[in-house]
Amino acid sequence: MAALTLYVVTFNCGLRPIDTEAFASQLFTGLHSSNLPDLLVLSLQEIAPLPQALIGGSFLVPFFEKFYHAVQKGSRTYANVEDNGPTYAPIAARNLGMTGIMVFAKDPSRIQDIETGGVGVGLWEMGNKGAVAIRFTYHQGSASTELTFVAAHLAAMEWELQRRNEDWKNIVRGLVFSSTTSKRKTGSTSLSGEERPLLSISPHDASIYKPTSHLFVAGDLNYRTSVLSPSPTDHIEIFPQPHHPPDSSLHFSSLFESDQLNQERFAGRTLHGLTEAEITFPPTYKYNSVEPFLTPDDELKKWPWARHRWPSWCDRILYLPLPTWVTRSQPSLSITAHKYTALPLFPTSDHRAVTLEISVPIVPIPPPKDEEGDDPRIKPPFEINVDWKRKRERARQLELVVGFALYFTTTKEGGTVAAAVLVGVVGAYFAIRAMVEM
């Protein structure tokens, strides 16, 4: 049975453009295979400063372009290709406020039926926190399979556990897919595009839990290892370091016993039905931005933890297993995780990127014949909010108002434009006044 190889990467960019060379040098070190994957998916949080992210469109192009160039350079280096041509074709780049998603394919002709969606769960339902998603069908010969990728960023702070669960609920209820075209247009990576809601299908099929689709959720989910902030001495006495042996109570694995995401997931309060590969890497947040950067854990003498946040696995990648109605009829099929790891610390962020290399059988998931069982594809944990479209339109208007207000008042470029406009208005006033008095 043919399998599709996926490489999913989640990275909180820290509101700054990436260092293209640094990102390219580490991007594919999370692979187990010596071959490049068929698809590369980047889930990006805090992709740009708040003003540019809320405005979106052309304001985000420079940030997305850096990732494009890093992907091309990193993939050519990993594959030892001397040709300067692109190794991957960009399939789509989308954002919802500060959260972005990019999809690349080695063979773009295999991608059809692209759908996108997004929802804000931040202040006034704007996109300072939220999710953006892409869904499409991947074809190989006569075989095909449908894939859904959700990039998410949930509420921060140790004590905001319930808010994170509520954010997930609002993502499930408010992220509804829309379609731009029936087939992908080569080279189309616009950040907005003409989209139409999928009104001809059931709300269930337009949700993230579509019965016939695989589902991957990647992002800064922000679940911590404590509901309280650290004490002033915890960073010295308790925080893990590379030299702590696995059998030590100070080894990083001890913190995982308090991982909020697993506690809430197993209790059925968040990320319903999703599973995760085994975590064998240290916490991915929060690091001080100090050297050495781009250095593997086994070469480090110390992890530069920020003393005011508990080291936590904020950055995660989860997925839905194959549904039972598929595995019953084809027990040999499986989704196989090959490697789940964290990349070294980059100089532009206090998070470490997390990667998942995984293979998915290229077979269609048929609709279930009955509605028994607890698979969320059959029984989603929450129903679609019937008012989702009006809420998103209202939030989008607020994003533009707030985004431009911040751009003109807090950025150097925006301040220059505002000053030029003001000078022009004042000059025009006096010119008109002079002409009237003549």
Side-chain angles (χ1 to χ4, degrees):
M1 180 66 65
L4 164 69
T5 55
L6 301 174
Y7 190 48
V8 184
V9 180
T10 182
F11 182 50
N12 184 311
C13 308
L15 308 175
R16 299 167 63 186
I18 60 166
D19 180 324
T20 302
E21 294 293 325
F23 198 81
S25 72
Q26 302 298 316
L27 176 57
F28 292 98
T29 60
L31 286 173
H32 172 75
S33 171
S34 59
N35 298 318
L36 290 170
D38 298 314
L39 289 179
L40 168 64
V41 181
L42 302 182
S43 167
L44 307 170
Q45 309 85 47
E46 297 187 357
I47 188 173
L50 185 59
Q52 290 91 332
L54 290 181
I55 297 169
S58 60
F59 283 77
L60 282 185
V61 169
F63 298 88
F64 278 121
E65 281 185 339
K66 283 184 173 290
F67 282 100
Y68 171 82
H69 292 302
V71 166
Q72 303 304 340
K73 182 175 180 59
S75 58
R76 287 195 298 266
T77 301
Y78 192 79
N80 197 25
V81 175
E82 296 182 0
D83 182 8
N84 287 328
T87 307
Y88 280 101
I91 301 301
R94 294 289 189 275
N95 81 291
L96 193 293
M98 301 179 77
T99 305
I101 190 168
M102 302 182 77
V103 178
F104 297 84
K106 286 202 293 189
D107 185 351
S109 67
R110 296 183 177 184
I111 307 296
Q112 295 183 10
D113 307 315
I114 295 177
E115 303 165 8
T116 61
V119 63
V121 298
L123 180 65
W124 300 323
E125 299 179 327
M126 291 191 296
N128 54 307
K129 293 290 190 293
V132 61
I134 293 177
R135 171 178 289 155
F136 54 83
T137 304
Y138 185 89
H139 293 262
Q140 183 170 310
S142 60
S144 66
T145 197
E146 191 172 26
L147 302 157
T148 301
F149 298 96
V150 178
H153 192 188
L154 309 186
M157 302 303 176
E158 280 89 349
W159 55 89
E160 290 283 18
L161 174 60
Q162 298 309 317
R163 176 65 184 276
R164 285 186 275 280
N165 291 349
E166 190 69 17
D167 285 350
W168 172 250
K169 176 181 178 180
N170 290 330
I171 287 171
V172 176
R173 297 197 69 207
L175 198 162
V176 179
F177 281 90
S178 301
S179 178
T180 53
T181 56
S182 60
K183 292 190 177 183
R184 176 185 174 275
K185 293 181 180 179
T186 301
S188 175
T189 58
S190 66
L191 304 179
S192 54
E194 182 182 351
E195 299 182 351
R196 58 179 179 83
L198 300 177
L199 301 178
S200 60
I201 62 176
S202 71
H204 190 176
D205 284 349
S207 77
I208 65 173
Y209 284 112
K210 186 176 182 180
T212 58
S213 178
H214 297 284
L215 172 62
F216 294 84
V217 177
D220 179 3
L221 305 183
N222 254 323
Y223 285 93
R224 309 300 175 90
T225 55
S226 175
V227 294
L228 302 173
S229 297
S231 75
T233 59
D234 281 342
H235 71 285
I236 299 173
E237 300 171 352
I238 300 178
F239 284 14
Q241 290 298 339
H243 63 267
H244 292 144
D247 58 354
S248 168
S249 61
L250 297 179
H251 189 262
F252 69 78
S253 59
S254 298
L255 276 176
F256 199 63
E257 298 172 5
S258 304
D259 177 60
Q260 292 177 351
L261 178 55
N262 275 349
Q263 292 173 351
E264 297 301 296
R265 186 165 60 91
F266 294 147
R269 292 189 286 262
T270 192
L271 281 292
H272 302 78
L274 294 161
T275 190
E276 184 178 24
E278 181 183 4
I279 288 181
T280 59
F281 49 87
T284 61
Y285 177 84
K286 174 179 172 79
Y287 292 86
N288 290 319
S289 185
V290 295
E291 294 184 341
F293 300 113
L294 314 180
T295 306
D297 291 309
D298 57 8
E299 297 179 17
L300 290 173
K301 294 182 179 180
K302 184 178 180 180
W303 286 314
W305 302 116
R307 65 177 62 190
H308 63 293
R309 292 284 177 263
W310 277 103
S312 299
W313 288 268
C314 292
D315 310 275
R316 311 286 275 269
I317 304 171
L318 298 93
Y319 57 95
L320 275 183
L322 285 172
T324 55
W325 62 88
V326 171
T327 56
R328 275 198 302 262
S329 60
Q330 302 181 75
S332 63
L333 294 183
S334 66
I335 296 175
T336 304
H338 303 289
K339 189 175 181 179
Y340 189 35
T341 191
L343 301 183
L345 185 65
F346 291 110
T348 56
S349 178
D350 53 6
H351 289 250
R352 288 173 62 175
V354 170
T355 68
L356 174 66
E357 181 187 5
I358 195 166
S359 58
V360 177
I362 306 178
V363 295
I365 299 177
K369 294 181 179 179
D370 56 56
E371 296 197 1
E372 296 181 1
D374 56 0
D375 191 302
R377 293 180 180 91
I378 302 174
K379 297 179 179 179
F382 312 106
E383 295 298 325
I384 291 292
N385 188 328
V386 295
D387 205 23
W388 68 270
K389 187 177 181 182
R390 185 184 66 83
K391 285 176 172 287
R392 177 85 289 268
E393 290 173 345
R394 182 180 61 189
R396 181 59 188 144
Q397 292 173 353
L398 284 170
E399 287 170 356
L400 290 172
V401 170
V402 173
F404 276 112
L406 290 173
Y407 180 73
F408 289 126
T409 58
T410 66
T411 70
K412 183 177 180 180
E413 317 91 82
T416 301
V417 172
V421 171
L422 180 60
V423 169
V425 169
V426 172
Y429 167 77
F430 284 108
I432 294 172
R433 182 176 176 179
M435 288 187 291
V436 170
E437 292 176 351
M438 288 178 63

